[in-house]
Amino acid sequence: MRRSAAPSQVLGNVAKKPRFIPPGKSNTVCLKIETKEMDQEMNLKEMDEKGGSASLLSEVYSQNQNANFTQSVESSGKVKTTKECFSASKSSNVEMKTLDMLKADALCLPTSGTAKEEAVQKEPDCLVKYFSVVWCKASKKKHKKWEGDAVLITKGKSVILKDMEGKDIGRGTGYKSKELDSLDEGQTLMVGGKEIEVMGIISADDFSSGRCFQAGIGTHDTVSTVLSQTNMKPFCKPFKSVCQPNSKENALKDSQSYKPRHDPNASNSLVMPRPNASHQWTFNKAGLPMVDVVVDPYIANNLRPHQKEGIIFLYECVMGMRVSGRFGAILADEMGLGKTLQCIALVWTLLRQGVYGCKPVLKQALIVTPGSLVKNWKKEFQKWLGSERIKVFTVDQDHKVEEFINSPLYSVMIISYEMLLRSLNQIQAIEFNLLICDEGHRLKNSSIKTTTALASLSCERRIILTGTPIQNDLQEFYALIEFVNPGILGSSSTYRKIYEEPIVRSREPSATKDEKELGEKRAAELTRLTGLFILRRTQEIINEFLPPKKESIIFCRPTALQLELYRKLLSSPVIRSCLQGRLENSPHLICIGALKKLCNHPCLLFKAIKEKTCNPMSDEHDESSLYEGLIDVFPQDYTSDTFSETDSGKLQVLVKLLAAIRELNSSERVVLVSNYTQTLNILQETCKRYGYSYTRLDGHTPVSQRQQIVDTFNSKFSPAFIFLLSSKAGGVGLNLVGASHLILYDIDWNPATDIQAMARVWRDGQKHTVYIYRLLTTGSIEEKIYQRQISKQDLSGAVVDLSKTSEHIHFSIEELRNLFTLHEDSSCVTHDLLECDCMGKKDHQNPSSEKHSIPRGCQLGQNHGKPNSKKPLSMSQLMQWKHFSGQHQALPDSFMERIKENVSFIFQNVTSPTSPT
Ligand SMILES: Nc1ncnc2c1ncn2[C@@H]1O[C@H](COP(=O)(O)OP(=O)(O)OP(=O)(O)O)[C@@H](O)[C@H]1O
Ligand SMILES: [Mg+2]
């Protein structure tokens, strides 16, 4: 008997079994199917004949395999089972919007040119064929040992042999085209010193989608195979601890107790879908009765429609109903859609209920979240479930993990990522049945401690929550998928070869037509596979529940001092050398930093210069020379402590804006956002000067105090008029609905940072019309950054990622030249770029008269184009916004009218579910 090391033989993989035959045998040999599988098939047949529940079992079997099998009886009398195609079941019609990026031209990853090779060296007009094969080194031995499975690509007279990771392992040319054309199952061929035998034909579609390389993903048999290849701690059986029937339960079996906990027929009831026969077969071995799982009406009555769908999606994922043998999910709904509430509903349901004999699915759940949100999670549990139903345990300095272990009261633990690392040993010892990772995009790097720590937990049901798009970078994407459903995309090298490299290659400008096609198909397959357990809905879905939002982009004139300093900086030798391409040690980033400081307030630049002169030891040579001579531009008596608001164009506008809000809407509050602590200090000082009460949250605020600060501010009785927020420190996850005005004092390279900040006030729970103001210094680098934010969107439709900072941006010399240009004569460079024919000189018409006017150029009125979301704007969308010069006689908006003195231009837009205000 011949031995084989080919995985298709060794691992007992159903999908591959028919492929493997020893060399030299005829086609019919491949009909010998290994006994275990055959036994099952035969059993089915027997059951059928006996008139038992064969159709049910047959369904169980075929669904269990998640594939379509056809059976045929060969002349030999043996049953031939052929796997036709994999089609994972999708039991809910929740709309999946995933992996948009895979279509977008958004990636900038290193490539290897593999895809070029994927599109086999073309011999024009020859048919390309694909075969599954087994191979071994050529030898004259009688008893050959196949070494592995492979894919053979033939084209004209040449062939390429690829291993199951997509790597080339052999090539050959000079074959007879006729022979290759007629190649068929059972035939052998020599390819580059390897003997191969054809096991079957692969369709062009299965090759281009990459399916032929997957180890039968989704087929039940392969799950253990794939899992065993990962270094994860082995999972415990998801239903083990809570579902195994004991004798007491058996006694209960006959009783009347198998009733749904809540009425499934009540109006507005939210009933979870029942598992299919395959699921029952696998997870209800004891044959317990099925009972409807119904979400507690206490919580269900408050759910939005998209949240109900989201709960069903999560339920199906963690129950293993979407992908056989997989229990992970990614809920990537945009900010503010209530991911917390959806998880709370799921946890509460599963802690109390279970479809098989009412046995609760969960005993204990673990929620890991950024430190600033630990208390918020606890609050949300109380908000939606009251304090009697459930006791959640938050780990902090005073409440250690032991308390949770020793107390029978708690079933949910909430812990910060940092604390988890510190108490990992104890956490590992607790058997959690569900793991939820909030703001889980931080797990996108599989080598960081947090990811490895969490991956070491034996809990198989894993949910990642993130409002940030996760598909920008295919390696990061892989890490997230690998975390929730380990092994589902194969090993990391297989993934790279089969998906990442062809997809990335296809996005490169030099990609050939074939490479583009291949990349698109692989992307589509990746989307299909992962789409089964990723759900993303966008902001539009709750716009109808939110109050109107009025956004203004306000271009503020720089002051004389700012202009003079700006010119001086631009003429510095450092900037000139940057523009000549000398970018070692990134001097351009120092220049950009200095210009941004200047835009916020000259005193920030002054401070930096002073610090540099006091600390000349520092090796930042470029920074010192950038500042040379600048100090002379400041008035002699200038100090950074006694800054004047009249020195900064934006600060002047801000002061007027705050006064207007105070006067016109005295009960309303303001969130004032900056990316810089030093700028927040200036803003704080300004609040003091004007007697505005304020509160502040930045990177230095102890995590334990953050929720308290937020709660106090949101309370009706809050004394604070202004919430000073550092967007980097507190951007994600916070609810600041106590304010209805939000001012972005400076701009970040990454639109996601700004969008995150804006989403703090315009979210569920907000009762007032929301006003967002973005302040930009006219003609300066701030305008350029803004343009970059929006024009990049236009070009690529790319999604954005919070972790991208200026250090990650590569600037061309042309772009740097543009960045380092000051436009003193323009009232709005961004408007100039739009090539709008109004040139900012045309009068604005107020909304009521606008309706009757013929729309001209820039006066297209409100709410034209696509409804606004929390996505970054594009240039073309901006064109649809109402806009007008600050010099206009009577601005339509009372706030704008009051601040216009220092304003050169304004863009404005209203998003409203009903009518614009
Ligand atoms: N159905 C609902 N009715 C009323 N308020 C809701 C509802 N769902 C969620 N909310 C509230 O909306 C706010 C936002 O919800 P949540 O913090 O869960 O959003 P999120 O999706 O986690 O957003 P982010 O990505 O910003 O963290 C919370 O204050 C929450 O209580
Ligand atoms: Mg959240």
Side-chain angles (χ1 to χ4, degrees):
M1 211 175 97
R2 295 172 193 193
R3 292 171 303 128
S4 172
S8 61
Q9 174 84 336
V10 173
L11 298 173
N13 182 337
V14 173
K16 288 180 183 170
K17 267 170 202 158
R19 284 192 207 154
F20 180 74
I21 49 167
K25 296 231 170 149
S26 74
N27 285 0
T28 50
V29 183
C30 80
L31 301 178
K32 270 194 191 161
I33 296 162
E34 261 122 42
T35 35
K36 195 176 140 215
E37 189 192 348
M38 271 303 289
D39 286 350
Q40 290 195 41
E41 290 292 314
M42 293 309 283
N43 283 346
L44 290 180
K45 215 163 168 285
E46 270 171 38
M47 297 278 291
D48 214 2
E49 278 158 10
K50 284 179 196 156
S53 54
S55 53
L56 171 73
L57 282 174
S58 161
E59 191 194 342
V60 169
Y61 183 71
S62 67
Q63 288 183 4
N64 213 11
Q65 301 303 319
N66 244 337
N68 299 332
F69 285 84
T70 55
Q71 293 178 21
S72 59
V73 180
E74 297 294 305
S75 51
S76 61
K78 294 199 181 328
V79 178
K80 177 178 180 177
T81 303
T82 320
K83 186 180 173 208
E84 285 188 329
C85 67
F86 160 68
S87 67
S89 66
K90 189 172 168 185
S91 35
S92 136
N93 49 7
V94 174
E95 188 196 349
M96 297 291 166
K97 276 196 191 172
T98 60
L99 283 176
D100 286 348
M101 75 17 120
L102 294 171
K103 292 183 192 111
D105 196 5
L107 295 155
C108 48
L109 293 169
T111 61
S112 73
T114 318
K116 215 180 259 168
E117 296 157 17
E118 302 279 3
V120 182
Q121 292 82 9
K122 289 262 160 180
E123 293 179 27
D125 302 329
C126 288
L127 193 66
V128 186
K129 284 176 143 186
Y130 308 92
F131 301 91
S132 63
V133 300
V134 284
W135 67 270
C136 63
K137 281 190 207 83
S139 85
K140 291 201 175 113
K141 277 188 198 156
K142 205 171 160 201
H143 296 292
K144 287 193 173 58
K145 181 183 161 193
W146 294 115
E147 290 175 49
D149 296 292
V151 172
L152 180 77
I153 310 162
T154 67
K155 164 87 191 179
K157 293 179 178 153
S158 27
V159 301
I160 296 180
L161 189 64
K162 283 178 177 294
D163 70 8
M164 298 313 281
E165 293 193 342
K167 264 190 287 199
D168 286 7
I169 53 170
R171 277 161 187 268
T173 48
Y175 296 87
K176 288 189 182 140
S177 328
K178 241 197 198 156
E179 269 176 21
L180 289 187
D181 277 352
S182 60
L183 201 60
D184 207 350
E185 248 174 74
Q187 290 182 342
T188 56
L189 200 70
M190 293 296 292
V191 180
K194 293 192 174 67
E195 183 173 343
I196 61 119
E197 180 171 312
V198 176
M199 298 287 117
I201 295 172
I202 295 171
S203 71
D205 200 41
D206 274 355
F207 177 80
S208 49
S209 67
R211 257 193 304 261
C212 64
F213 293 100
Q214 290 156 13
I217 286 162
T219 65
H220 197 257
D221 276 12
T222 50
V223 169
S224 55
T225 306
V226 178
L227 286 182
S228 70
Q229 290 162 358
T230 67
N231 329 327
M232 305 276 171
K233 195 171 159 182
F235 288 146
C236 53
K237 272 249 178 290
F239 289 81
K240 186 188 96 187
S241 57
V242 275
C243 280
Q244 264 170 13
N246 55 31
S247 55
K248 238 195 217 160
E249 286 151 13
N250 285 339
L252 273 176
K253 216 170 171 180
D254 297 325
S255 76
Q256 297 291 309
S257 62
Y258 294 125
K259 274 199 259 149
R261 197 177 164 90
H262 307 285
D263 181 3
N265 301 314
S267 68
N268 211 17
S269 68
L270 176 57
V271 186
M272 295 299 110
R274 287 193 168 205
N276 63 20
S278 148
H279 194 275
Q280 297 165 38
W281 172 265
T282 317
F283 295 113
N284 189 19
K285 295 262 192 282
L288 295 171
M290 285 225 276
V291 184
D292 273 329
V293 172
V294 185
V295 176
D296 191 338
Y298 187 82
I299 204 166
N301 288 336
N302 292 308
L303 295 169
R304 310 261 188 236
H306 76 276
Q307 293 172 332
K308 291 184 175 175
E309 285 181 350
I311 294 164
I312 292 176
F313 161 82
L314 289 175
Y315 176 85
E316 289 181 338
C317 286
V318 302
M319 295 295 289
M321 290 161 63
R322 287 190 151 253
V323 187
S324 175
R326 309 288 175 172
F327 305 90
I330 298 180
L331 181 59
D333 284 347
E334 271 189 356
M335 292 155 282
L337 293 195
K339 294 185 281 295
T340 320
L341 172 56
Q342 294 173 65
C343 286
I344 290 172
L346 178 81
V347 168
W348 175 235
T349 307
L350 296 180
L351 279 173
R352 288 287 175 276
Q353 302 177 55
V355 64
Y356 299 129
C358 295
K359 288 295 299 174
V361 175
L362 307 181
K363 261 188 190 157
Q364 301 184 114
L366 176 64
I367 296 165
V368 193
T369 174
S372 54
L373 297 175
V374 169
K375 290 202 174 128
N376 185 61
W377 267 90
K378 187 174 184 171
K379 252 189 66 199
E380 290 274 314
F381 264 98
Q382 273 164 6
K383 176 172 172 180
W384 300 111
L385 289 170
S387 41
E388 328 74 54
R389 283 176 182 72
I390 189 166
K391 287 242 167 298
V392 296
F393 184 84
T394 49
V395 182
D396 57 33
Q397 297 301 342
D398 305 324
H399 301 90
K400 300 273 169 9
V401 174
E402 291 87 29
E403 207 182 312
F404 178 87
I405 297 172
N406 296 329
S407 166
L409 287 176
Y410 303 107
S411 43
V412 176
M413 178 193 279
I414 303 170
I415 191 169
S416 68
Y417 285 99
E418 300 73 29
M419 202 62 108
L420 176 108
L421 286 180
R422 273 185 254 159
S423 350
L424 186 61
N425 287 345
Q426 289 160 299
I427 303 276
Q428 277 171 333
I430 306 172
E431 199 176 295
F432 287 106
N433 323 106
L434 174 66
L435 169 62
I436 297 174
C437 301
D438 192 15
E439 304 298 343
H441 43 267
R442 61 170 65 200
L443 306 178
K444 66 191 176 190
N445 184 338
S446 51
S447 54
I448 59 167
K449 264 198 213 145
T450 316
T451 314
T452 43
L454 282 160
S456 76
L457 301 182
S458 60
C459 178
E460 194 170 15
R461 294 193 190 89
R462 296 172 174 186
I463 297 175
I464 279 184
L465 303 180
T466 176
T468 304
I470 53 171
Q471 307 97 339
N472 296 24
D473 179 318
L474 285 173
Q475 267 302 311
E476 295 175 354
F477 182 65
Y478 176 74
L480 294 177
I481 300 291
E482 183 65 11
F483 179 74
V484 292
N485 281 328
I488 197 161
L489 295 177
S491 72
S492 108
S493 60
T494 308
Y495 171 80
R496 211 171 19 250
K497 281 268 179 255
I498 307 301
Y499 296 113
E500 188 181 336
E501 286 175 1
I503 294 171
V504 170
R505 174 71 194 132
S506 71
R507 303 275 150 75
E508 286 174 359
S510 59
T512 64
K513 190 167 156 274
D514 288 338
E515 286 168 341
K516 279 190 184 139
E517 254 172 39
L518 186 74
E520 273 165 26
K521 287 204 168 146
R522 294 280 161 94
E525 177 62 10
L526 189 55
T527 307
R528 188 193 66 78
L529 257 178
T530 55
L532 292 167
F533 54 90
I534 301 178
L535 179 61
R536 179 168 178 82
R537 278 82 54 91
T538 50
Q539 175 66 37
E540 284 89 28
I541 212 160
I542 58 158
N543 278 3
E544 62 176 302
F545 302 108
L546 294 181
K549 174 178 72 165
K550 189 166 194 169
E551 270 181 271
S552 306
I553 305 165
I554 303 172
F555 296 81
C556 312
R557 283 187 201 293
T559 62
L561 177 62
Q562 281 175 310
L563 285 174
E564 208 177 334
L565 286 164
Y566 210 107
R567 281 183 223 119
K568 183 93 184 161
L569 273 172
L570 292 187
S571 63
S572 114
V574 183
I575 290 201
R576 277 199 309 248
S577 82
C578 286
L579 296 180
Q580 280 155 13
R582 270 173 247 135
L583 301 177
E584 307 84 54
N585 304 325
S586 308
H588 59 296
L589 295 181
I590 297 169
C591 302
I592 289 170
L595 292 174
K596 287 181 81 182
K597 280 191 180 124
L598 175 56
C599 288
N600 278 2
H601 200 290
C603 78
L604 295 170
L605 188 61
F606 185 82
K607 216 169 161 194
I609 300 168
K610 284 283 173 197
E611 275 164 14
K612 203 81 254 163
T613 28
C614 293
N615 182 19
M617 299 304 287
S618 147
D619 51 15
E620 293 280 7
H621 170 72
D622 287 331
E623 194 174 357
S624 309
S625 59
L626 178 68
Y627 296 155
E628 237 169 66
L630 269 185
I631 206 80
D632 304 333
V633 181
F634 286 92
Q636 279 207 327
D637 55 347
Y638 198 92
T639 65
S640 57
D641 302 331
T642 54
F643 67 89
S644 158
E645 70 215 31
T646 52
D647 285 342
S648 156
K650 286 199 298 183
L651 193 58
Q652 283 182 47
V653 171
L654 176 75
V655 166
K656 293 209 175 76
L657 188 56
L658 290 174
I661 296 169
R662 191 63 164 186
E663 199 183 321
L664 297 171
N665 290 355
S666 61
S667 63
E668 293 186 17
R669 279 169 263 156
V670 182
V671 177
L672 186 46
V673 189
S674 170
N675 293 304
Y676 306 98
T677 318
Q678 284 189 358
T679 302
L680 278 182
N681 292 344
I682 291 180
L683 301 180
Q684 179 172 324
E685 186 52 36
T686 308
C687 289
K688 278 191 196 155
R689 284 184 194 173
Y690 283 84
Y692 298 139
S693 50
Y694 63 87
T695 187
R696 173 168 171 162
L697 194 155
D698 61 26
H700 301 294
T701 314
V703 167
S704 56
Q705 288 173 20
R706 292 184 180 195
Q707 191 60 40
Q708 177 71 37
I709 293 173
V710 169
D711 288 348
T712 313
F713 180 74
N714 283 336
S715 132
K716 252 205 301 233
F717 310 105
S718 164
F721 169 49
I722 290 167
F723 193 107
L724 295 162
L725 175 70
S726 152
S727 55
K728 293 271 164 70
V732 292
L734 287 185
N735 292 312
L736 291 171
V737 289
S740 48
H741 297 256
L742 181 133
I743 304 171
L744 289 169
Y745 189 76
D746 41 53
I747 181 160
D748 195 64
W749 288 101
N750 188 341
T753 314
D754 295 344
I755 293 162
Q756 271 280 357
M758 290 194 241
R760 299 309 106 207
V761 292
W762 199 54
R763 54 167 45 213
D764 223 331
Q766 177 59 259
K767 305 273 185 302
H768 298 97
T769 295
V770 165
Y771 298 86
I772 310 270
Y773 312 94
R774 181 196 286 282
L775 305 185
L776 300 175
T777 306
T778 312
S780 74
I781 191 162
E782 292 188 327
E783 267 207 65
K784 308 295 173 66
I785 298 173
Y786 183 65
Q787 288 155 18
R788 191 177 161 110
Q789 269 194 10
I790 61 179
S791 64
K792 284 280 161 194
Q793 288 301 314
D794 231 11
L795 284 178
S796 62
V799 282
V800 284
D801 180 339
L802 268 181
S803 62
K804 299 280 180 277
T805 61
S806 55
E807 283 103 76
H808 295 89
I809 302 174
H810 298 288
F811 299 98
S812 67
I813 299 299
E814 205 44 54
E815 281 170 314
L816 283 178
R817 190 160 292 129
N818 179 35
L819 272 183
F820 297 148
T821 306
L822 174 67
H823 303 257
E824 293 189 46
D825 302 329
S826 172
S827 62
C828 180
V829 183
T830 311
H831 180 252
D832 299 346
L833 282 176
L834 290 177
E835 294 178 355
C836 167
D837 56 13
C838 82
M839 302 302 286
K841 288 179 199 135
K842 294 257 164 62
D843 288 354
H844 165 81
Q845 297 176 328
N846 69 37
S848 52
S849 63
E850 207 168 48
K851 278 183 198 146
H852 309 291
S853 69
I854 301 161
R856 289 170 302 179
C858 66
Q859 296 170 337
L860 297 176
Q862 302 175 37
N863 287 328
H864 275 260
K866 273 183 25 182
N868 204 355
S869 82
K870 285 178 181 170
K871 284 204 196 70
L873 260 183
S874 68
M875 276 298 213
S876 49
Q877 280 172 295
L878 187 65
M879 182 79 167
Q880 312 290 319
W881 285 29
K882 222 192 275 187
H883 48 275
F884 28 80
S885 149
Q887 303 312 306
H888 198 275
Q889 296 278 301
L891 291 179
D893 178 316
S894 39
F895 291 113
M896 297 304 140
E897 185 56 35
R898 279 165 197 250
I899 64 166
K900 71 177 189 186
E901 192 183 312
N902 229 15
V903 170
S904 65
F905 211 85
I906 298 165
F907 278 90
Q908 211 168 54
N909 187 54
V910 178
T911 308
S912 165
T914 46
S915 59
T917 56

